[in-house]
Amino acid sequence: MSRRIYIDFLGKKNIFFAISGVLIAVSIAALIFKGLVFGIEFQGGTVMTLKTKPGVTAEQVRTALQKAGVPDARNATIQTTQDGSWLVRTAESDSQKAEEAFLKVVDELSLPKQDVTVTTIGPGWGRSVTRSALTALTISILAILLYISVRFEYKMSVTAVLALVHDALIVLGIYAVSGREVTPNTIAALLTILGYSLYDTIVVFHRIRENTRTLTKQTFTEAANDSINQVLARWVNTSLTSIIPVTALFFFGGETLKDFAFALLVGMISGAYSSVGVASNIYAIWKESEPRYQALRKKQAQKAAKKAS
């Protein structure tokens, strides 16, 4: 008969808090000092794709943009694509001027003949997308707070939202560190992550609540730790079956779905971790501060001391 795995998740809370503390500190530092690279959908501007030729450097492309009269060309984002082309993002918001600049850059660098591949989005559309994304995010968090407070208790809702903030910060921090562009797909992935992260947390919280209704022979932390271990197999199975297809989507889904899959993958891994490493530990510490559970802890400590003597 195989031995059941039992992990003292709550006894290792300092390790989990240290890991999360480092990840959040790095994420916040990256967001402050490096910042996010927002797509033109959020700030307006132009994206042009230039088929290049051997020997052309990013600095030569930047110089050609300046000669073409592209505004703020020094801060243009220039990246290579998988097929070796240049993906150039500029602040130009006039579609006609952007197309003229494209042709001038092709001529200046003597690039191969190519169709004009320019996408221009005005700043008004970007503001609208940003406002809609923030509204969706705010409504989601308020709805989560309300639902869990009514269905379970407010301490669960607050710790669940703290875990969501933890996951969102790590996702955004990795975007800042890697320099990946934040697009509407990224926002859609963040909203999806809220659901995945919350699912694992609610499964654990539900079992903790069931096991602590009539608690008399264990401390709250011990019962909570038992609860996590009782749903451990389910937690592993649901996490893996969710992460595997998203991983496949990231590697084989093509450029269009890559942004969505990347944010989703990081968020799902963080969400699986935070449900047992962050939310459960904060909730157990908070509950242990209640007079009922403090008295129970004291009683169990006295029993243990008496037994030891």
Side-chain angles (χ1 to χ4, degrees):
M1 185 176 177
S2 62
R3 186 180 175 185
R4 187 176 179 183
I5 295 174
Y6 189 93
I7 301 172
D8 186 10
F9 287 100
L10 302 189
K12 294 178 173 58
K13 60 180 178 292
N14 290 336
I15 296 174
F16 287 120
F17 288 158
I19 293 171
S20 292
V22 170
L23 290 173
I24 289 175
V26 171
S27 297
I28 291 175
L31 289 169
I32 292 174
F33 296 109
K34 195 170 180 185
L36 293 169
V37 179
F38 287 99
I40 63 169
E41 296 89 347
F42 291 98
Q43 55 188 356
T46 293
V47 173
M48 57 178 72
T49 305
L50 293 161
K51 291 179 183 174
T52 188
K53 66 178 184 180
V56 176
T57 65
E59 200 52 39
Q60 287 176 315
V61 175
R62 195 180 302 281
T63 303
L65 289 170
Q66 287 177 307
K67 289 182 179 179
V70 173
D72 201 20
R74 292 302 307 171
N75 293 319
T77 303
I78 303 172
Q79 298 172 308
T80 53
T81 63
Q82 286 184 336
D83 65 359
S85 300
W86 289 109
L87 194 66
V88 182
R89 297 178 177 85
T90 73
E92 181 59 76
S93 58
D94 186 304
S95 58
Q96 187 174 350
K97 289 181 180 177
E99 290 181 7
E100 291 172 0
F102 178 92
L103 295 172
K104 287 178 181 177
V105 170
V106 170
D107 185 56
E108 174 68 22
L109 298 175
S110 301
L111 298 178
K113 287 187 177 180
Q114 52 195 289
D115 294 331
V116 177
T117 48
V118 173
T119 302
T120 304
I121 295 177
W125 195 84
R127 283 194 293 271
S128 175
V129 170
T130 304
R131 189 166 51 248
S132 300
L134 290 175
T135 300
L137 195 60
T138 303
I139 291 174
S140 298
I141 290 177
L142 289 176
I144 289 167
L145 276 169
L146 179 64
Y147 173 74
I148 301 178
S149 296
V150 172
R151 181 68 179 80
F152 296 97
E153 65 168 307
Y154 80 95
K155 288 181 180 178
M156 285 187 178
S157 70
V158 172
T159 49
V161 169
L162 285 176
L164 294 180
V165 172
H166 165 278
D167 299 337
L169 271 176
I170 289 175
V171 172
L172 292 176
I174 289 178
Y175 263 76
V177 169
S178 64
R180 292 185 73 89
E181 190 177 79
V182 177
T183 66
N185 281 343
T186 310
I187 302 302
L190 277 174
L191 292 172
T192 308
I193 289 165
L194 298 185
Y196 275 106
S197 177
L198 199 62
Y199 176 79
D200 283 334
T201 303
I202 290 299
V203 168
V204 174
F205 279 177
H206 181 74
R207 183 56 61 94
I208 290 175
R209 192 179 70 153
E210 291 296 315
N211 288 348
T212 55
R213 283 184 189 278
T214 55
L215 199 59
T216 56
K217 295 181 179 178
Q218 285 181 299
T219 66
F220 185 90
T221 298
E222 289 170 343
N225 207 44
D226 286 350
S227 303
I228 296 173
N229 279 278
Q230 287 167 10
V231 298
L232 186 60
R234 180 178 177 180
W235 173 75
V236 171
N237 291 334
T238 55
S239 298
L240 284 179
T241 51
S242 301
I243 289 170
I244 288 172
V246 177
T247 304
L249 191 66
F250 175 71
F251 285 107
F252 308 109
E255 285 297 323
T256 305
L257 295 175
K258 209 163 192 172
D259 278 338
F260 180 76
F262 179 76
L264 203 55
L265 182 60
V266 175
M268 288 172 75
I269 293 171
S270 177
Y273 158 77
S274 68
S275 63
V276 297
V278 178
S280 300
N281 274 300
I282 294 175
Y283 179 63
I285 292 171
W286 200 352
K287 291 294 286 184
E288 281 283 10
S289 67
E290 294 180 6
R292 174 193 169 191
Y293 295 118
Q294 282 184 333
L296 189 58
R297 172 171 284 279
K298 189 176 178 181
K299 182 181 173 183
Q300 294 301 320
Q302 288 173 343
K303 276 187 179 179
K306 189 176 179 182
K307 193 175 180 181
S309 61

